[in-house]
């Protein structure tokens, strides 16, 4: 396992990857990606039980499903730096015929990606299906998923959330990225979500919160706590508060960088706040 300093260095390098990817093609979603960097780094380098190599069956290992697929830059960076594919391939982000499309897809067979995502509201259903398959296969590994808070405005989520509790899918850990922002503005202005934790509790889930999802040690501790709650008859939900655009001062506290790339001057500013640690691709 990497030590805390190594993981913190990885967090900063992943931020650089995100910024450089979206800048190169003047397209992509840096805000949510930056806000979830600590989560992805913790999940893939400290929390999940992963096999060497990659196969779509995913038997005998933990699985992850990204529901809010537009934050693909952080997903691709962490997968590459975990060894799923060459780091240099990050240069191809969003290019024609690239395996690294704007939303993750299985069409080109990118290692680490198990489902095409980005049509919001569907990831919960997919994760539940995978968790049930593990139960049928006698596989005691876990399924993790990540969801945007604005994404919870999609009704399909709540059918799935009800189903998971009703069928005791207790090998599932679903994390909600509670950054309070979505493409058109603050979630509370677009369509208020109310108390997300209490909603999941009312649907029969075991719910916990990570108060600062941009504090790596808090994220690691929270995910370990969530793992300890599995296998007890209820699916587990983590409501994780993050800051969209975290690590880049002018991208924080606003929805403006949900889906906008920095220009040359802005990129230089942002990279200056995140000095190279592990080597740029």
């Amino acid at each position: 396992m990497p030590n805390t300093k190594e993981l913190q260095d990885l967090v900063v390098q992943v931020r650089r990857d995100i910024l450089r990817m979206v800048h190169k093609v003047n397209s992509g979603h840096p805000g949510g990606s930056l806000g979830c960097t600590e989560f992805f780094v913790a999940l893939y380098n400290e929390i999940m039980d992963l096999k060497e190599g990659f196969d779509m069956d995913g038997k005998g290992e933990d699985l992850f499903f990204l529901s809010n697929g537009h934050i693909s830059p952080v997903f691709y960076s962490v997968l590459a730096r975990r060894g799923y594919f060459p780091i240099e391939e990050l240069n191809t982000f969003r290019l024609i015929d690239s395996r690294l499309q704007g939303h993750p897809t299985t069409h080109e067979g990118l290692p680490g990606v198990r489902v095409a995502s980005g049509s919001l509201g569907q990831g919960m259903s997919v994760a539940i299906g995978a968790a049930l398959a593990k139960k049928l296969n006698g596989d005691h590994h876990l399924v993790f998923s990540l969801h945007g808070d604005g994404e919870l405005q999609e009704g399909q989520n709540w059918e799935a959330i009800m189903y998971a509790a009703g069928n005791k899918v207790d090998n599932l850990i679903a994390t909600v990225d509670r950054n309070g922002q979505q493409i058109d503005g603050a979630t509370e202005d677009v369509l208020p979500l109310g108390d997300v934790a209490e909603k999941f509790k009312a649907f029969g889930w075991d719910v916990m919160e990570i108060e600062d999802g941009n504090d790596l040690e808090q994220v690691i501790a929270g995910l370990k706590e969530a793992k300890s709650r599995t296998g007890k008859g209820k699916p587990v939900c983590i409501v994780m508060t993050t800051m969209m655009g975290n690590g880049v001062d002018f991208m924080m506290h606003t929805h403006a960088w949900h889906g906008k790339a920095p220009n040359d001057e802005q990129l230089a500013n942002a990279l200056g706040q995140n000095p190279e640690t592990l080597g740029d691709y």
Side-chain angles (χ1 to χ4, degrees), residues 97-99 101 105-110:
D97 296 328
S98 169
R99 298 194 297 178
Q101 290 301 303
T105 174
T106 56
H107 181 69
E108 299 295 341
L110 184 67

Side-chain angles (χ1 to χ4, degrees), residues 28-33 70-71 120 179 181-184 244 251 254-261:
H29 297 78
S33 295
H70 56 277
I71 65 169
L120 297 178
N179 63 25
Q181 305 290 338
Q182 59 190 102
I183 190 169
D184 291 327
M244 180 177 278
M251 291 186 176
T254 175
H255 73 283
W257 294 92
H258 170 91
K260 183 174 72 172

Side-chain angles (χ1 to χ4, degrees), residues 6-66:
E6 291 170 332
L7 291 176
Q8 292 285 9
D9 286 348
L10 180 55
V11 166
V12 176
Q13 191 63 51
V14 168
R15 286 202 198 105
R16 290 181 64 89
D17 291 348
I18 293 165
L19 294 161
R20 295 177 67 234
M21 276 190 278
V22 298
H23 168 264
K24 179 180 178 181
V25 291
N26 193 31
S27 180
H29 297 78
S33 295
L34 292 166
C36 283
T37 301
E38 289 83 1
F39 172 82
F40 275 89
V41 166
L43 190 68
Y44 272 88
N45 295 277
E46 183 76 19
I47 299 300
M48 291 177 71
D49 182 10
L50 299 168
K51 297 187 300 189
E52 291 297 318
F54 177 77
D55 63 73
M56 287 296 283
D57 286 339
K59 294 179 180 178
E61 65 178 330
D62 294 338
L63 304 181
F64 171 72
F65 294 96
L66 174 63

Side-chain angles (χ1 to χ4, degrees), residues 148-153 177-194 196 244 255:
D149 51 358
E151 181 183 9
L152 295 182
Q153 294 161 353
D177 176 19
R178 191 74 164 108
N179 63 25
Q181 305 290 338
Q182 59 190 102
I183 190 169
D184 291 327
T187 54
E188 297 311 292
D189 293 334
V190 177
L191 184 62
L193 293 166
V196 173
M244 180 177 278
H255 73 283

Side-chain angles (χ1 to χ4, degrees), residues 190-264:
V190 177
L191 184 62
L193 293 166
D195 192 325
V196 173
E198 287 300 323
K199 281 183 166 64
F200 272 85
K201 288 177 185 177
F203 274 68
W205 286 55
D206 182 7
V207 183
M208 54 175 290
E209 300 189 46
I210 296 178
E211 293 184 1
D212 185 353
N214 298 122
D215 181 312
L216 183 60
E217 292 185 352
Q218 275 195 44
V219 174
I220 291 171
L223 286 167
K224 287 182 177 179
E225 170 68 17
K227 287 179 67 174
S228 74
R229 298 190 185 195
T230 59
K232 299 178 181 179
K234 291 184 177 184
V236 178
C237 171
I238 303 172
V239 179
M240 180 178 68
T241 301
T242 68
M243 175 65 68
M244 180 177 278
N246 185 62
V248 179
D249 56 8
F250 62 86
M251 291 186 176
M252 298 164 66
H253 307 287
T254 175
H255 73 283
W257 294 92
H258 170 91
K260 183 174 72 172
N263 61 30
D264 291 351

